[in-house]
Amino acid sequence: MHEMGIACSILEAVERERIIHPGCRPTKVAVRIGRFAGVDGDSLQFCFDAMVAGSSQAPLELHVEAAENDELDIAWLELDELEAIQ
Amino acid sequence: MIHPIERKVLSENDRVAAGVRSRLEIVGTLTLNFIGSPGAGKTAFLERTLQLLPSGTSAAVLTGDIQTENDAIRLARHGFPVQQITTGGACHLDARMVESHLWEWRFKEFDYLFIENVGNLVCPTSYDLGEDGKVVVLSVAEGEDKPMKYPGIFRKAELMILNKVDLLPYVPFQPELACEYARTINPDIHIIQCSSLTGEGFGDWMAWLERRRIAKRHFSPNHEEAHLQTTFV
C-alpha cells in the first residue's frame, strides 16, 4: 500500500551509494521482502519503474527477492565502472 | 561489480526515529503511537483521555491525516498543545514528520506525547516514529478477525484498545473472539475494552497509562542524569 514511499527510500539509498562511489553508475538494486513486511513485490516493481523512467537514475533495475518474517532490506547494488572522462 | 549493502530499506527513517527517541528519553516523555482503521475511534478515544488526565499533567498530541485540520481542532478543545500533520497523500506518518513537528515545540518536556497515526492498519506499522510503544485501536463495528487479517500491527502493538463497546448490544461482534485472535498473533498483547462515549474501561486505561509512564521513568537509567544535563547546560 505504501510501495511508492518504499520505492522512494530505495532510490534515495541508491543515490547515497552513487555519491560515495564516484566513477560508478548503479545499474541494478536488489531488495529482500519478507512475507510479513506488508509490501507487495509487483506493486513495488511498478512504482519503482515509474519513478526511474525518465529520471537521471535511469536505466536502473529493481530485483526483488522473497524472504521470511518482516524483513525489508536492500541486499546489494550492481555498479558499472564508468570510463574516466578526459 | 556487485556491491553488498545489507541495510534496511527504511534505515534512514530508523536513524531519524532513533534521534527522536533519545531526545524524548532525555525529557522523559512517554510516547505512544496510536494505529487503527479509519473510523476506529482514535480521535474520540484521545479526546476522552485528555479530559481525564489528572490536573497538572502535561501532554501533547500530534495527529496525522491525509487532509484537513479537523482532528487537531477537535483535540485542541481540551487545552493541550496539538499539531496536525497533514501528509498530503502519504498513508502513514514517518519519523521525519514527527521530528519536524516536535521541533516546533523545541522538544519541550511533556509527561505524555500521543501520536495519532493516519487511519490505516498496514503502512504505519512499518515506520518507527521514535515511540515507546504502539497501541492498536479496534472497534466493535469492525470484524473480529482484523487481527488475523492485519497481523503486523497486532504483533507489534503492546496494547489493544477494543473501542466502542457501547455498541455491543446492536452489532454481531464477539469480543472474546476478537481477543482470542489478537492473542493468537501476539500472546503478550494487553487488551482493554473501552467506550469513548460512555467512559467504560477508561479507569483501566488511565491506570495502565500512569503505570507505563512510571515504568518508563523508573527504567530509563539516563533520564535523571540526562535531564540535569539539559537543565543546566
Side-chain angles (χ1 to χ4, degrees):
Chain A
M1 197 164 170
H2 54 306
E3 281 77 5
M4 196 59 114
I6 299 293
C8 277
S9 298
I10 297 169
L11 290 171
E12 281 169 19
V14 170
E15 188 56 19
R16 278 197 298 275
E17 292 297 326
R18 191 187 62 76
I19 291 165
I20 57 178
H21 294 99
C24 291
R25 214 188 69 74
T27 50
K28 192 189 255 189
V29 57
V31 293
R32 265 196 307 269
I33 305 180
R35 292 167 63 202
F36 300 110
V39 173
D40 178 72
D42 289 342
S43 172
L44 178 64
Q45 189 82 56
F46 177 84
C47 294
F48 183 91
D49 291 345
M51 292 182 77
V52 167
S55 80
S56 61
Q57 288 178 303
L60 177 66
E61 255 183 76
L62 177 71
H63 174 77
V64 173
E65 293 172 10
E68 293 301 310
N69 303 321
D70 57 358
E71 275 177 68
L72 183 57
D73 296 335
I74 300 179
W76 48 261
L77 183 65
E78 189 180 78
L79 295 165
D80 263 8
E81 287 181 47
L82 298 173
E83 297 290 326
I85 298 166
Q86 296 300 317
Chain B
M1 174 174 68
I2 299 288
H3 174 63
I5 303 225
E6 297 303 335
R7 192 187 310 138
K8 287 185 177 178
V9 169
L10 296 176
S11 59
E12 182 57 19
N13 182 77
D14 291 351
R15 189 187 63 78
V16 176
V20 169
R21 182 170 285 112
S22 64
R23 285 185 174 277
L24 291 169
E25 191 75 27
I26 288 170
V27 294
T29 299
L30 177 70
T31 305
L32 297 173
N33 180 1
F34 289 78
I35 297 176
S37 321
K42 297 180 292 300
T43 312
F45 180 81
L46 285 174
E47 281 191 87
R48 186 103 191 181
T49 303
L50 294 177
Q51 284 170 13
L52 292 174
L53 285 174
S55 65
T57 308
S58 60
V61 187
L62 291 177
T63 180
D65 276 300
I66 289 172
Q67 286 297 348
T68 84
E69 303 270 324
N70 293 357
D71 282 2
I73 293 166
R74 278 172 64 184
L75 289 156
R77 293 184 304 203
H78 305 283
F80 293 93
V82 177
Q83 287 188 69
Q84 179 81 47
I85 305 178
T86 42
T87 65
C91 47
H92 58 269
L93 297 180
D94 65 37
R96 206 167 291 169
M97 297 175 194
V98 169
E99 184 190 43
S100 64
H101 284 78
L102 288 178
W103 275 116
E104 295 279 319
W105 288 322
R106 299 284 175 266
F107 276 87
K108 187 170 175 283
E109 176 175 345
F110 296 111
D111 295 322
Y112 299 106
L113 171 66
F114 303 121
I115 304 175
E116 182 189 347
N117 220 309
V118 177
N120 180 341
L121 284 173
V122 187
C123 317
T125 311
S126 305
Y127 290 81
D128 182 8
L129 304 180
E131 73 271 4
D132 292 294
K134 291 179 172 58
V135 177
V136 61
V137 182
L138 172 68
S139 79
V140 305
E142 304 169 53
E144 295 98 341
D145 56 353
K146 278 271 169 80
M148 306 302 272
K149 288 179 172 169
Y150 301 89
I153 180 56
F154 289 88
R155 197 150 67 100
K156 286 189 177 171
E158 64 178 77
L159 173 67
M160 172 172 119
I161 296 296
L162 185 57
N163 202 17
K164 307 191 188 182
V165 292
D166 55 289
L167 291 179
L168 280 174
Y170 314 106
V171 291
F173 184 96
Q174 298 171 260
E176 306 75 27
L177 191 58
C179 295
E180 190 187 314
Y181 284 144
R183 291 199 176 101
T184 304
I185 299 298
N186 177 358
D188 298 325
I189 199 165
H190 190 72
I191 300 174
I192 301 177
Q193 301 195 20
C194 284
S195 163
S196 308
L197 202 65
T198 66
E200 183 181 342
F202 272 74
D204 288 347
W205 154 241
M206 298 309 286
W208 183 92
L209 200 54
E210 175 69 4
R211 275 201 309 277
R212 188 69 178 76
R213 185 175 69 90
I214 291 169
K216 168 164 178 163
R217 297 224 163 174
H218 193 68
F219 290 114
S220 57
N222 298 326
H223 172 240
E224 292 303 326
E225 196 187 335
H227 185 238
L228 285 173
Q229 282 172 7
T230 51
T231 310
F232 296 111
V233 159

